[in-house]
Amino acid sequence: MAIANRKQREKEEMRTLILDAARSLFLEKGYENTSIRAIAENIEYSPGTIYLYYKDKDEIFHALHEEGFRRMLEKMQPLEHVQDPFERLKAMGAVYLDFAENNRDFYDLMFIIQAPIKHEENADDWEMGHNTLNYLKHIIRQCQEQGRFQGRDINYLSFAIWSMVHGMSALYCRDRCKAYHFENMEAKELMDNGYKQFVAMLEKL
């Protein structure tokens, strides 16, 4: 049993090594300019070793997507203990922005750089993304049950809410907040005040 556990641990460590190298190269060179050979050279293994764990570059990219969404959902799960769904929705926005601020590389891969996954052709490829969006819709539905957002379509409303926090996150992750600096306000302070405006808009809907 000890040998089996060690082999499984070594396999997971190798997968992590491959994904860390791939994430770094994808962000530096872009998806199209990153090859299996380049990933192998980065970790000082042969390309054949990579193929023992992933069949191609797309599978590696997909694994990174899943890891990013899994991390985001893990950050959001504690919000289930917040009884008021509207307070939970506001807190979800804060968690989303915090995730982007502290996980720029994952956020970039999940939402910004061109992805090879075509969810229109294979919805299963976006399962983790769908789970995250469905979690948002679930909270909005609970808010409606308590009298908020009456008469508003959940699909459109969830898209609008997601767009608000995504827009701020994308600007932050790509260092575009510099264009909005005024009165010597730092990017973090701009994000914090942006979140307050986000909450104010939700309260008026």
Side-chain angles (χ1 to χ4, degrees):
M1 181 64 71
I3 295 177
N5 289 339
R6 177 172 58 79
K7 288 184 176 180
Q8 181 61 34
R9 185 174 64 253
E10 291 174 350
K11 181 181 292 186
E12 292 303 318
E13 288 174 351
M14 179 57 74
R15 284 182 175 272
T16 299
L17 188 64
I18 293 171
L19 292 181
D20 286 345
R23 182 171 64 252
S24 176
L25 289 170
F26 283 148
L27 292 172
E28 178 186 352
K29 300 181 178 182
Y31 174 81
E32 294 296 335
N33 295 320
T34 298
S35 65
I36 291 291
R37 180 173 296 279
I39 296 172
E41 289 178 354
N42 186 279
I43 62 174
E44 299 182 345
Y45 279 86
S46 69
T49 300
I50 307 293
Y51 288 113
L52 293 175
Y53 296 87
Y54 299 97
K55 67 179 183 180
D56 55 26
K57 191 169 64 172
D58 281 7
E59 189 170 60
I60 294 175
F61 194 97
H62 177 53
L64 287 171
H65 261 241
E66 284 199 322
E67 184 180 354
F69 278 109
R70 190 177 299 110
R71 289 189 181 196
M72 179 180 284
L73 283 172
E74 286 174 356
K75 296 288 186 181
M76 292 180 179
Q77 287 307 314
L79 300 181
E80 285 295 330
H81 298 292
V82 179
Q83 188 171 4
D84 185 339
F86 186 61
E87 292 301 318
R88 199 182 319 138
L89 177 62
K90 290 189 290 185
M92 185 179 180
V95 170
Y96 189 102
L97 292 172
D98 181 74
F99 178 86
E101 289 177 31
N102 292 290
N103 299 273
R104 288 192 181 199
D105 52 353
F106 272 114
Y107 196 87
D108 218 3
L109 286 169
M110 292 159 66
F111 295 111
I112 299 177
I113 75 171
Q114 185 65 40
I117 303 170
K118 296 181 174 60
H119 62 281
E120 299 91 349
E121 299 174 4
N122 190 350
D124 290 340
D125 284 342
W126 285 82
E127 181 179 358
M128 294 303 295
H130 288 160
N131 288 343
T132 307
L133 181 58
N134 287 335
Y135 182 70
L136 170 59
K137 290 181 179 180
H138 171 68
I139 296 176
I140 293 175
R141 189 172 293 107
Q142 289 184 322
C143 287
Q144 288 184 326
E145 290 172 356
Q146 293 196 1
R148 289 189 178 272
F149 310 137
Q150 293 301 300
R152 298 188 181 276
D153 184 281
I154 288 179
N155 292 311
Y156 297 141
L157 182 56
S158 62
F159 178 75
I161 290 174
W162 174 37
S163 297
M164 290 181 206
V165 290
H166 168 67
M168 287 188 282
S169 298
L171 288 169
Y172 181 88
C173 288
R174 286 302 179 96
D175 290 323
R176 296 301 188 267
C177 289
K178 295 177 181 178
Y180 290 85
H181 281 188
F182 55 93
E183 297 181 355
N184 297 318
M185 184 179 292
E186 297 295 330
K188 182 64 172 66
E189 186 179 357
L190 183 61
M191 290 285 281
D192 291 342
N193 281 282
Y195 170 70
K196 292 177 183 178
Q197 294 300 314
F198 165 74
V199 170
M201 285 188 284
L202 285 181
E203 291 175 341
K204 292 179 180 179
L205 290 176

